[in-house]
Each structure stands twice: as structure tokens, then as C-alpha cells.
Amino acid sequence: MSQKDRVGRKLVRLSVVVVLSVCVLLQRQAAGATLELQLSGADEPLAPAFPVRTGVPIEPGQLTDAGHVRLLVNGVETDLQTEVLARYSDRSVKWLLLDFVAAPGAKLTLEFGEGVTRKPVARPISVSADEKGATVNTGILRAAIRRDGGGFPDELYLDLNGDGKYSPDERLATKGDVRANWMDLIRTPALGSHEVMSAVVTEGTLDPSRVEITGLDIEVPGPLHAVVKVTANYRYKDAARVEYPYANPQYCELLPKDMGRIPFVMRLHFYRGSGAMEVQHTFIWEGDPDLDFVRDLALASPMPTSGDAVVTLGTDEGHLTVERRGSDRIGLLQTSADTYRVWRSRGSQGTGVVAEGRRAPGWMDVSNGRWGVTACVWRSWQLYPKGLRADVGAGQLRVSLWPAEAGPLTFRRYTRDWGVSETGARGGVNPFAVSRHASRGVAKTHRVLFDFHVGRVAADELGLRTAWFRQKVRAWPSLEVMCSTRARLGAAISPVQKDVYNDLEDIITACLDWMLFNQEHFRWYGMLDYGDLQQCFQNVHHHGRWESDYGRWGWFNGDASGHKPYAALLMHFLRTGRRDIFDLYEAEILHIIDVDMVNSEEYPWNDEGWLDMRGCGHRHNGQHWACFYVGSRAMRIGYFSQLYYLTGDERLRDAMDVAAAAAWKELGEARASRGGHSGTQDMTSRLFYTVERTGDRKVRDLIAGNERWAWMLNSNRGAAELKAAEEEEDDLEWARRPAEGALTAKKDWRYPGTVVSGLAGGVRYITDTEDRERYREALEQAVEHMRTRFAAGPQGLPRDRWPGPRGGPIQGNWNPIPNLMPIAIHAMTIHDAARKGGER
């Protein structure tokens, strides 16, 4: 069938779908549906009540209006806030974001459909905005953010007497005119002031930041959970650049348009009836990597300063209350993933260490008899260095996201040489042109909680009050629902099949547990490293280590060619519900969109000058921004969108929106200059996200017209389309062709993804018994190959010998077994049932 005939057939089918849609949707919605949800991340002790934000999948045709949803907690309806994250082609809801308050052990039931109504939210959050700024009132906390302010709330009031009003004596104030949000730089005059691999700046000037707000928006108005988005710049005085010490004058002029800013976005989250304010802070590096260094990055809130104020910190053992006298400053500094110290400064008496430990939970509370505030950093020790400080003199509880005590933060490339790196640049790469600004556009996002409370909170309860934030409690359906839902993009899978395929399941588990082991064993932590994984284990040097010292082969970064870790991690989480697997999947995606993706509008691509390379990313290397390949394959957002739909994370949505817009410019308008290789699959996966989010017909038609990637639209079919597909005579050529191709594929097994996926599709869908048995036999051979490959690799060693001895088994690139084995198991399970006469 020609491409023209295929498109014509699709258009005829769509006209039939339009006629059927109304009947199918009304029938399904009238009946209503229920979904049982289970808390995830609630294994540790929690407070009696805590906010939950979570995304849940909905099947095609079951829901069109998010207002027809309600949530039962232990059988009783509770207040609920909803937002549609994605829709099917018939505009029925695909992914729904929920905000509600839960309790440990609660039974959660979601009811939805045309006949379901939801009660109004009592005492909703009040949010208002005008030309001066925005004000949020949660019922206990009132925050005002001025357009000419510092981004962090400029005024905070806490209802101390519970009368529902805010009087002048209930304002939470600092002492004097002090900053609450800053990113101070050290700016040096010449390259010689800081050697490339050095941690010491021998010559430089401190340049304190000031905040310039460029946008202030009410992103989510409530009623249970409100979000205020602040878009701004850190501005600096010393914006002039001296002559850069390159011999070639061409590169002295390689300067961006605006040298005096670091952009940032800050989202302030508020919750009804709560004094908690969650801050999501993202900065984008646009300094000169060779000449500028971060001295101090911090947020600070008011705190009690009266003589009866008490300082309590979270520690390895639980908590520690530190005695305070006069104007003492008390702090906690997490200097590595294995070391923190609690310190106290007493002016002329100097600074002394009060306690030491390994991994602090990242919270500090300062309280007196009237009120208090608890600050907490999400993933504090994993994202070291971090600092917490109670400063009586300033009246501030400071959260240092990069503490000055850690030394200058550098964004330099490790060398000016090309070395063994590689590139996809057209016409080659001039290393001086790119490497000077290689890290431009690197971002970093932190999540910080400030919990303002009335009176003192018992020390034993402080950890419980922050646990929901530290653990990010979610509520998702059962494994069966998460694996089978049509809302999910990706290969068909099923929950773990221990009864029949126990040995294969153990192989999958060992492969991923080995990565978790290596993250801990080799300490893949730190502010710019946490979430990334390494690529090759002793395959070059045979030294019992990963090849991060070999330039090209080091961190995965954003490389998404073939089967990569985040895909396997997502599948294993959906099949097992293991929260440690989800946490690593989440950390890897969040790392990629920050550190590995270009987030700046200006990027110096080769000799072409400054280009808008947002949405492109850096490939694998010994440093996150060191590879000269900068292209689209580093942002294959199909698996990124699944995380967004599960969590509703706004920073992730921002990154995907940028990537999707770049894809439309290139494929839809053919006008973007992207640099690097622009893979059609990479770009199409971005456009599919646009279709899910917006339903844009022109984008959908562009995908449908690409025969190779049109299959992505299958997972977005509405109820009527599915019904029409079931009734339509199907020659199953779409399944037979890749299955036959897999039978004749070259069996070097280096990249076995197409072989396993093709054979699995043939086993699942082809009805001819003889053909199906041929595919099954070949699939079993592929499984046996993966079993052999596993046994020969370091993952196959006994766990007490991990990661592996010097000169022992190697891992070259990523091991695809955990990506492919679940697909094979699912296909064989379905075929097993068919052989026994069960349903296909």
C-alpha cells in the first residue's frame, strides 16, 4: 500500500471515529469508574496528615471533564484538586493530576465519570495578583511577593492566635535590610587566576547579586494547592570583560549579548490550612565558565531570635538540640555524601564543632514559645554540598544550596583539547570555540521546604513534619493497572512473573540492583552529578573502576541512543512498585533536564556564532558538558513525559515544552538550526508529547504522515478509534514485518533491541500458529543469549563480589538486558496462555 493510500485510509477512518465518539464516550462515562490508589514513599513514619500530589492514568473514553472526579479516603469523600495533564485523541482524559491531603495507611478510592460530582472545597486558598505583585493566603500563612522585590516572599504573616486575621505583631520579620535570595559570584580578570582542574581562585573580586524580576504569574490558583511562578535574573555590577587570553582574536570576541546576568525561575508552592511553603528554585548558568565562579547560593527566611529560641537539627540518629547563647550562629554543613558537621560560632570565641555525622536528613528548626520555622532541603546529602544556618544577628534561617565554605563552584571544561571525545558537528569542531562556553545553559534545580508553625513543635515530631517532603509521597494504582494502562507510552509489559520466569526476573533485578550498588559504592552523588549513571565498567583500563577518567566514556549524560537506563528503571518500577527504583529513575531524568540539556537561548555552536540550542543536550563524557556533540538525541522525552505524568513536576514540564517547541521548528517549519545530529525519532517523540498535552491537529498530522514513527499515535487513540480498530480487518503487517526482519537480522547482538522487540510483537499479535511458533523459538534464543551475556558480565557475579575484580568482567556501554527482558517475558506469558487455550 502506498503512502498516499495509507493517509487516505486514515482520513476515512477518522471520519467514522468522529461519528462514533459521542456514543462511546457517553456510554462509558455514564457508567462511571473507580481506581484504587496506593501510597508510595510512605514506608517511613509520617505526620498524621500530609499533602500528596500525584498523577494517575485514565483509560480512553472514561472521563472528559476533570470536574467529574472525587476521592474517597477510608470511604469518605475528601477535598480534591485536579488538573488534566494529557488527553487522548478524542479529548478524553489520559493523565490526571491530583492534589489532596492523606494520612498513613489510608485507603484511597478515585471515582470518576459523567455521573460523579465533587463537593466544593471548604475554605480554599486565596490568591490575588496586581501590578505590584501577588499575595497568597492559606488560612494560616499569608505571603506577599512584590514585582520589585527579591523573588522570595517579601512579607510573611503567620496567624499566631488563630483568629483568621493577620495583625502587625504577627509579621515574621528579619533584622534590618538583608537579602533572602542571592547567588554571589567571584569574577576573575584572566584565565591564569584559576587553573582548569584547581579548586582555588588566587585572584578575583566578589560580585554580590541583586534580583531583577521579569515575570510574576499565578500558575496554579488553588483551591488546595497554589503555585506562584517568579521569572527573574541575578544581576551583577562587574559585567565588563577584559581581553580573553586566547592567541586567536576570533575567540576573544566569542561573548554573549548579556554578560551581567544569571537567569532563574522560582516557584512557590502553598497548601491550604498549612504554614508550609515549598520552593522550587532553578538557575541557568550564563556566566563565563573560564572567568566566573559561584561563591554562595542561598535562600533565607525569617526566624525567631528571642532568648528562648531553640535550634534543633536532623541527624543520623534522629535529631540534636543545640544550646544557643546571645548572638550565636549555629549551622550544619554537609560536605560530602559521607560527612557533615554541626558547628557553633560565638563571635570572638571562634567557631567550634558540636557534632559530626555521615548523612543528615537536611532539616533545621528554630522555634520559641510563639512561633518557629523548619527548613528542609530535598535530597540534601545526595546533592552535597549543602548548608543550614541559624543567624541570630540577621534574624534569618539560611539554606545554602552552594555554601561558601565549599569553595568556588566552577563550570569550566576540564581541558581545551578535543582529546578522545567525539562530535556530531557539521564540518568538524574547533575546540576553542566550543569548549570555552561548553557549560553555557547548564541548569540546577533545588527543592526546599520552609514550614512556619505556631509555637514549639516537639523535637521527635519535627522529622515527621518534613517526611512527606523528603520522601515525596505519591499515590498510584496497582501494578496491574500501571503495566496495562493505555495511557502509558512504551512496550507492553506485565507485573513481575515470578511463578514461571523466576530466573529471568532475577536477572533483571540483578542488573538494576548492580547499578544501585555502584551508585553507592562509587558515590555517584553531588550537586551536579546526582542522578547520572556511568557508562562503561573497566572495559578500557581494566582497573576495577568505571571509565569516567577516559574522556569519551564516562557519565551517560543525556545520551539516549538505543536502550538507556531510565527506560529500564521506569519499566522495573511499574512492574515491581519498588520506590528505590523509581527514585533513581526520577533522579536521572531531573539531572538530564538540568545539567545535560542546554537551557540557554545563546549557545556557541562551532563557527556558526550564537544559536538557540535549547532542548539539545550533551552526550556521554567524563564531564557532563564536555562532549562536543550537542544534539537532539540527548533529549528523547518519551520517558521524560512519563515522569511528568506521574508527578506533575513543573520544572520537567518547562524543559519538555522547550524541547517540543524546538522539534516543531525543525520538523514542522524546517527553519531551526540545531547543530549535531537531529534524529527524527528524537524529534517525533517530542511532538507526540505536544499532541498529548494540547491536541494540536497539525502536529498530529505531521506524525501520522511519517510512516516510520506513526506508531506512537497508537497509544493516544481514543475509545472510538480503538473500537473501530477492533472491528477493522487487520492484516497485521505492522507486526509481521518487524518480526520477519528480526529473524533475518545480523546476530551480532551488540544492539539487540530491534530483534527482541520485533519477535515479541510477532509472538503477541500474529494469529498464524506456525509463524507464531517460529517467532517464539527465535525469541527464546534471544532470551538465552541475554542469559549468557548476563552470566559473563559483572552483574552475574555473586553479590558479595560486586562490582567486580580488576581485569574481570567488563560492561561496555549500557547493558540492554533490563530493557528487553521484560518485553520478552510479557510476550511469552501471553503465548503460554494461548498454548493452553487461554485468552490472547
Side-chain angles (χ1 to χ4, degrees), residues 22 156 241 315 531 570 655 722 787:
V22 175
L156 286 166
R241 300 285 84 183
T315 65
L570 174 60
L722 291 170
R787 192 198 307 269

Side-chain angles (χ1 to χ4, degrees), residues 334-403:
Q334 183 84 46
T335 56
S336 75
D338 294 293
T339 307
Y340 73 81
R341 65 177 182 269
V342 179
W343 56 268
R344 175 171 49 207
S345 175
R346 290 186 163 173
S348 60
Q349 298 182 36
T351 301
V353 175
V354 177
E356 294 179 308
R358 187 165 178 248
R359 293 174 173 174
W363 62 264
M364 172 186 279
D365 180 86
V366 184
S367 302
N368 63 14
R370 293 188 74 227
W371 70 285
V373 56
T374 308
C376 181
V377 182
W378 186 67
R379 301 286 188 265
S380 177
W381 63 263
Q382 293 94 329
L383 293 169
Y384 77 87
K386 293 292 174 280
L388 298 165
R389 174 186 298 188
D391 190 338
V392 175
Q396 285 186 320
L397 176 53
R398 179 190 300 186
V399 177
S400 293
L401 305 177
W402 183 270

